[in-house]
Amino acid sequence: MAATQKVESLSSKSREYRDSDEEESNTVTMFDVLHGGTKEKIVLQRLIVAAPLPHDLGDGTEIGARYEKFKFQLSKKYVCENMTGLLLIYPSCLLHVIESSREVLLSVLEDCSSLDAPKVVSMTHNLQSRLFQQWSYKVLNADHGPGNARDLLEEEESTETLVCTVLSALHKLADQLETSKKALPGPVLDENPELIVPQKVLQKLLAQEDLHTPERHLQMYCSPLHISMDFGQVIRSRVLTSV
């Protein structure tokens, strides 16, 4: 009997220590907040969408303000699921990068119906880190961007290469943001126009037929799983776009 009580006492203390360690590991200190050490409470995903814009749009600030309002609405609906990213508004098209949870990204995909012929450039799951620490938008004019955009357009014909060009430019921008210690990418892009994804690359991407529309992507994303009992494999009915 005494031995049983001793085992139960040790087990109880072990649970207390384990609970204490778990509570400590989940605690976010002020140091973490100030130095960017906060832990993600969500499964982080990244969505990149491109879409053409009408010629009579004006200076583009209206669409930027519209998405700023939409982001605010999402932040109220999904309180603990911070949305970061970048919206680049060109004279003829836009490029939108969104980093957040699955639910937020699905809401953004559903909202894309308000755009004219949008395309999903990339959808990446289970990210380890964010490219951007805040969400912001920047309106670009025809003079923004690298000077060799025509050469880029001639060299990069395949969809895969064009998508890689977009992703490479975004990662270089994120690296420059970290190096310069600036919170928003706008000033960094002003100082380093070569980091801007060329508008002609996006125009070329929007002409590719193998890129999915948000509606098509949602259909694939929400499609049921087919389970093969013979091979013990779980196969999604359609392949998701993920670069």
Side-chain angles (χ1 to χ4, degrees):
M1 184 67 176
T4 302
Q5 291 177 343
K6 186 175 182 180
V7 171
E8 291 178 349
S9 176
L10 290 173
S11 178
S12 176
K13 288 183 178 180
S14 177
R15 284 196 300 270
E16 290 178 2
Y17 291 144
R18 185 170 63 252
D19 293 343
S20 176
D21 290 341
E22 289 176 355
E23 181 178 355
E24 183 177 353
S25 65
N26 291 328
T27 301
V28 178
T29 66
M30 183 57 69
F31 180 87
D32 293 328
V33 174
L34 291 176
H35 295 274
T38 55
K39 300 176 181 177
E40 292 287 354
K41 300 298 182 182
I42 61 174
V43 178
L44 186 61
Q45 304 186 27
R46 181 183 300 121
L47 170 68
I48 304 178
V49 177
L53 293 177
H55 297 293
D56 57 350
L57 183 65
D59 62 0
T61 55
E62 182 178 344
I63 192 169
R66 185 248 182 210
Y67 271 99
E68 200 164 48
K69 181 180 179 181
F70 179 60
K71 190 262 182 185
F72 177 71
Q73 293 171 342
L74 288 177
S75 67
K76 292 196 298 181
K77 184 176 181 181
Y78 304 103
V79 178
C80 298
E81 303 174 18
N82 185 32
M83 171 179 156
T84 62
L86 175 64
L87 171 62
L88 295 177
I89 306 170
Y90 299 77
S92 67
C93 58
L94 64 79
L95 179 69
H96 198 182
V97 183
I98 311 100
E99 301 169 320
S100 191
S101 68
R102 173 183 183 273
E103 287 71 22
V104 171
L105 265 57
L106 289 178
S107 296
V108 173
L109 281 171
E110 292 170 354
D111 181 74
C112 283
S113 60
S114 61
L115 298 173
D116 182 23
K119 295 289 184 69
V120 175
V121 176
S122 174
M123 181 82 164
T124 312
H125 309 276
N126 300 324
L127 298 172
Q128 297 300 313
S129 61
R130 298 173 184 262
L131 292 178
F132 307 100
Q133 298 307 311
Q134 300 181 41
W135 183 90
S136 63
Y137 76 89
K138 182 172 179 59
V139 178
L140 304 170
N141 57 45
D143 297 329
H144 281 110
N148 59 344
R150 179 175 299 177
D151 295 336
L152 284 170
L153 187 62
E154 293 175 353
E155 295 175 1
E156 297 161 0
E157 294 294 334
S158 71
T159 301
E160 182 180 356
T161 306
L162 291 167
V163 170
C164 287
T165 299
V166 173
L167 296 178
S168 176
L170 292 173
H171 280 276
K172 288 179 181 177
L173 173 58
D175 290 341
Q176 186 62 34
L177 277 171
E178 185 175 357
T179 301
S180 62
K181 305 298 181 183
K182 293 183 179 180
L184 297 177
V188 174
L189 291 176
D190 289 335
E191 297 171 3
N192 305 274
E194 70 278 3
L195 298 177
I196 300 174
V197 179
Q199 178 178 239
K200 290 186 177 181
V201 170
L202 297 179
Q203 291 171 335
K204 183 76 172 181
L205 260 178
L206 289 169
Q208 303 300 307
E209 296 183 356
D210 50 342
L211 282 183
H212 294 137
T213 65
E215 292 81 6
R216 175 65 172 165
H217 195 82
L218 280 170
Q219 290 175 0
M220 293 166 42
Y221 197 90
C222 299
S223 62
L225 296 176
H226 293 307
I227 302 176
S228 174
M229 301 304 294
D230 295 333
F231 301 98
Q233 297 178 339
V234 179
I235 305 172
R236 187 169 291 279
S237 59
R238 302 176 181 87
V239 179
L240 294 178
T241 303
S242 181
V243 178

